[in-house]
Amino acid sequence: MSSALHASEAVAVAAERRWAIVVVLIIAALVLMMVVTGVGWSAMPPSRVETIDVKTVHLKGEFVESNLGTVLNADGTVTVRLIGQQYSFQPQCIVVPAQMPVTFRGTSTDAIHGFVVGTTNANTMLIPGFVATFTTTFPKTGEQLMPCHEYCGTGHEAMWARVQVIPAEDFLAKARGGERLSCVPR
Ligand code: CUA
């Protein structure tokens, strides 16, 4: 009887030791991953990170004033380009089509800003020196507020723009000329 008890105790001790070794190995692997990715990515950012020179954002390239806003590209895709700066968005009002994929491309020229479009899932940070981009589809027409959602200074709570979601056919009719679209006067 007592020898059977000892045998089962030995099995339990061996099993616990095995699990202890497994857990230590898992923790060691996680720490190693943190060290490798932390050191590696700080030396070399992950791929698909787009950088931009803050000093020349306004002067040349993609984010000059005449190139901001919404455009229907030659291949039929829709791109919105915008800048966040203390304490406004440029442009102040953005027109997008409903039920069509819309790609946002944005950056900041001073502090970290961010935006969310109303109750949609369009949401990103705008970081100086980087181009933030995402593609989303707005299911419903209507006007949405687009507030800055990263604290960026004393004027943060007054920093917001509007997004007008209009029917896709109206948008396409307006956009065929290839110009940047601005909001309809209200
Ligand atoms: Cu911009 Cu808060």
Side-chain angles (χ1 to χ4, degrees):
M1 180 66 193
S2 83
S3 73
L5 196 69
H6 278 110
S8 62
E9 187 183 350
V11 168
V13 167
E16 283 196 17
R17 187 170 298 132
R18 271 201 308 278
W19 278 112
I21 291 168
V22 169
V23 168
V24 166
L25 287 177
I26 289 172
I27 292 170
L30 291 174
V31 169
L32 193 67
M33 272 164 58
M34 284 162 61
V35 170
V36 169
T37 55
V39 171
W41 287 359
S42 69
M44 184 182 61
S47 60
R48 294 192 69 248
V49 170
E50 275 186 69
T51 58
I52 190 165
D53 186 352
V54 175
K55 293 194 291 293
T56 58
V57 162
H58 287 305
L59 304 177
K60 62 175 188 195
E62 184 179 352
F63 293 94
V64 294
E65 190 170 0
S66 60
N67 205 39
L68 297 178
T70 312
V71 67
L72 178 65
N73 300 303
D75 63 0
T77 58
V78 178
T79 305
V80 176
R81 292 186 177 85
L82 73 156
I83 286 179
Q85 58 203 356
Q86 288 166 324
Y87 295 100
S88 63
F89 290 102
Q90 223 185 336
Q92 273 291 292
C93 187
I94 293 165
V95 185
V96 293
Q99 290 151 12
M100 276 177 73
V102 177
T103 298
F104 282 78
R105 292 178 59 77
T107 189
S108 163
T109 53
D110 39 41
I112 293 178
H113 302 277
F115 67 86
V116 58
V117 180
T119 54
T120 71
N121 68 351
N123 186 338
T124 191
M125 287 170 79
L126 300 173
I127 301 169
F130 295 89
V131 178
T133 183
F134 64 89
T135 301
T136 190
T137 302
F138 297 97
K140 290 196 302 245
T141 59
E143 187 167 299
Q144 309 262 7
L145 280 183
M146 189 184 107
C148 177
H149 66 29
E150 294 287 341
Y151 182 75
C152 52
T154 52
H156 162 70
E157 80 277 4
M159 180 172 173
W160 49 270
R162 287 180 294 137
V163 174
Q164 284 184 350
V165 186
I166 64 175
E169 56 271 24
D170 294 1
F171 176 87
L172 292 172
K174 281 174 178 246
R176 287 264 148 69
E179 303 160 23
R180 266 78 199 156
L181 291 178
S182 54
C183 289
V184 293
R186 289 153 45 86

